[in-house]
Amino acid sequence: MELANLKDPSEVVTFSQAVKQGLGRNQGLFFPTSLPKLDNIDALLEMPFQQRSAYILNQLIGDELGEETVAEMVNNAFQFTAPLAHVKDNIYSLELYHGPTLAFKDFGARFMAQCLAQVSGDSPVTILTATSGDTGAAVAHAFHGLSQIQVVILYPKGMVSPLQEKQFATLGDNIHTVEIDGAFDDCQALVKDAFDDQQIKDELHLNSANSINIARLMAQVCYYFEAIAQLPKDKQKDAVISVPSGNFGNLAAAMIAQAMGLPIKRFVASTNANDTVPRYLLNGLWEPKKTVSTMSNAMDISSPNNWPRIEAMMEQGIVDKSLLTAESVDEDYTHIGVRQLNELGYLSEPHAAVAYKALKRSLNDDEVGIFLGTAHPAKFKETVENILGTPVALPKALAEVANKDILSDSLSADFATLKSYLFTTLKTS
Ligand SMILES: *Cc1c(COP(=O)(O)O)cnc(C)c1O
């Protein structure tokens, strides 16, 4: 696989390089210079999820890692399902929250971890990241047990929900969690300082493993095939997919799937009140506003960092611009969405509700609509309970961690302290 930097097309890298580097020069995103067109879609849709995913990823990645290796990576990463639930009439929900941290980010993070372990061979790598909750859990679980990769997660003391802290700070082994006496911004500033420190970069082989890594998008392509495969056969060509969007990585993956030949009729980009993209598609002006807080807080983003990939696909004609519309769903309608779905016997949470309401606005009778369930309702327990007035049960994975001990170290928000911590902890482990 060959990828080019979207900001500087003269920078061309392999898949392995793109995985290791994350971003290109001038903070440019990498994107494949061409996408394989699959001519055996019907046969592919008959295959089991893991086998089909290995095939798709092998087609995308090419012969760089070896067919067997990629299949093994897929088996390690995708150890959970992506069921399509029938909600009513012509509407379905693709449930992407059955992984270890109950959010769709498990797919991308786990496959990226496998890729990084593969392309770094025996050289040690350190992942350093700051979290306010969610991403920490996905990263910690994805890398847990990959012994040549040490993970250090910084988080603001007392500002992460107790259950979230339990999810990422109880793993141990190669996962080091550090509560910082400060705010999330302090944690981010410490990470930035570490990436600016040549000695740390050289000796600890830092990598950020963040959400713009191409490996994540590649993994996410696979569950769109799984969605269509689960539709009744006579409806497989009519699907409209509504993607609850924040950084727009998930939507970019849907478009890649379509470019590879998956029948997706059109796309609905669903956002909450942070509506930079819906406004842009209406008037052509890119005008991010100040980010506002909403119930669907994983989408509280006004400058989506994956948008350049979508823009590039539309400009290069890889996807047809006219197939993308966008809807912004405000807090009242998100509320209504959770309630309506519940009345249909379907328990949801604010992100899925945004996608559902956006889909309903857009869907025609002769189409089939799929909205993505990106998080388990229990992840947004308080909000859902407030809306519905009924208790939401914790799934087993969450209930179990509640009894585990927190293994974090505590540090002040001071770079010199962090630096000496990194060298003592990581050099001996
Ligand atoms: C990250 C996230 C999103 C947004 O996905 P993008 O790929 O950033 O658009 C939506 N829902 C949930 C629950 C998330 O965690």
Side-chain angles (χ1 to χ4, degrees), residues 102-105 134-135 211 216-217 220 223-224 243-253 270 296-301 304-306 349-352 372-376 379-380:
L102 308 177
F104 85 95
K105 291 196 173 69
D134 255 13
T135 45
S211 67
R216 291 198 184 213
L217 283 202
Q220 290 172 233
Y223 52 64
Y224 289 102
V243 184
S245 297
N247 271 321
F248 283 78
N250 216 353
L251 180 64
S270 334
S296 49
N297 56 23
M299 311 197 294
D300 291 349
I301 292 166
N305 64 16
N306 262 299
E349 51 72 45
H351 304 79
L372 305 193
T374 43
H376 194 291
K379 270 205 112 138
F380 294 88

Side-chain angles (χ1 to χ4, degrees), residues 36 52 88 90 130 285 346 372 406:
R52 182 197 315 116
K88 69 160 193 174
N90 57 342
L285 301 174
Y346 191 72
L372 305 193
I406 301 283

Side-chain angles (χ1 to χ4, degrees), residues 11 21 90 121 139 171 200 220 240 247 271 281 299 382 399:
E11 185 181 13
Q21 252 176 272
N90 57 342
V139 168
L171 293 168
I200 295 184
Q220 290 172 233
V240 176
N247 271 321
T271 72
L281 292 183
M299 311 197 294
E382 280 90 36

Side-chain angles (χ1 to χ4, degrees), residues 74-85:
V74 166
N75 288 346
N76 292 338
F78 296 177
Q79 292 180 353
F80 39 88
T81 57
L84 188 74

Side-chain angles (χ1 to χ4, degrees), residues 292-335:
V292 296
S293 302
T294 73
M295 288 184 279
S296 49
N297 56 23
M299 311 197 294
D300 291 349
I301 292 166
S302 50
S303 295
N305 64 16
N306 262 299
W307 185 257
R309 286 181 167 138
I310 291 181
E311 189 84 43
M313 280 189 274
M314 295 198 299
E315 263 165 26
Q316 296 171 22
I318 296 171
V319 290
D320 185 338
K321 257 185 201 172
S322 68
L323 299 185
L324 175 65
T325 56
E327 297 283 343
S328 159
V329 176
D330 67 18
E331 293 290 270
D332 284 345
Y333 277 103
T334 305
H335 221 272

